[in-house]
Amino acid sequence: SQKIEQNSEALNIQEGKTATLTCNYTNYSPAYLQWYRQDPGRGPVFLLLIRENEKEKRKERLKVTFDTTLKQSLFHITASQPADSATYLCALDIGGGAGNMLTFGGGTRLMVKP
Amino acid sequence: DADVTQTPRNRITKTGKRIMLECSQTKGHDRMYWYRQDPGLGLRLIYYSFDVKDINKGEISDGYSVSRQAQAKFSLSLESAIPNQTALYFCATSDSRGQSNYGYTFGSGTRLTVV
């Protein structure tokens, strides 16, 4: 069966450190992968998109890697801040040529302590 | 004003009642989606619509129906609500012209409780 896995356990790190979150998938060949941030009681907010032919994408303190051989994406937040505390979701495009349809992982909660 | 507006924000209803959740958007996007979110299960797709005349079932459409009244409006109905439909419901939009560059825009969600 098709599956997207994110670590369901919360990740606790100290302010200033780099947070690294993992997204693994099986039985997909996505055209691209996206990362979202979700705060409690709010809708997810789009952060970054990376295509299958891109190895790495950066946006300010965020960096995403995409390894289609390992079927894995890593999401990094450098110089983390308490305001980065949230749940982070990865999502895969499974629509193929029919257009984008996203399937989401369960998310990983990040807690950044001062 | 929010780009994607969902109403109501919170709703408590009784088992067997019909309920409609509404979604409207000002993004000008052609594609709209309904997801539900349950603790530990993530977001699951209920229905999606790529334009006004297009409606498609998602992963968990049983017990739900939708209506795309206009490009900007997409409503979700529970014909006869049951307790296991208690969840957080999200509407989302995307633009087919920019789909490879931008993600979805989500509403703030409707928290539905069926008692």
Side-chain angles (χ1 to χ4, degrees), chain A residues 5 7-8 10 38 43 47 54 59 69-71 81 84 91:
Chain A
E5 292 184 341
N7 193 341
S8 59
Q38 186 175 22
L47 296 175
E54 297 176 318
K59 178 182 177 182
T69 300
L70 292 179
K71 294 187 181 295
Q81 305 165 0
D84 295 326

Side-chain angles (χ1 to χ4, degrees), chain A residues 84-104:
Chain A
D84 295 326
S85 299
T87 296
Y88 291 86
L89 309 172
C90 73
L92 302 185
D93 160 44
I94 60 170
N100 64 331
M101 279 176 50
L102 293 184
T103 295
F104 286 82

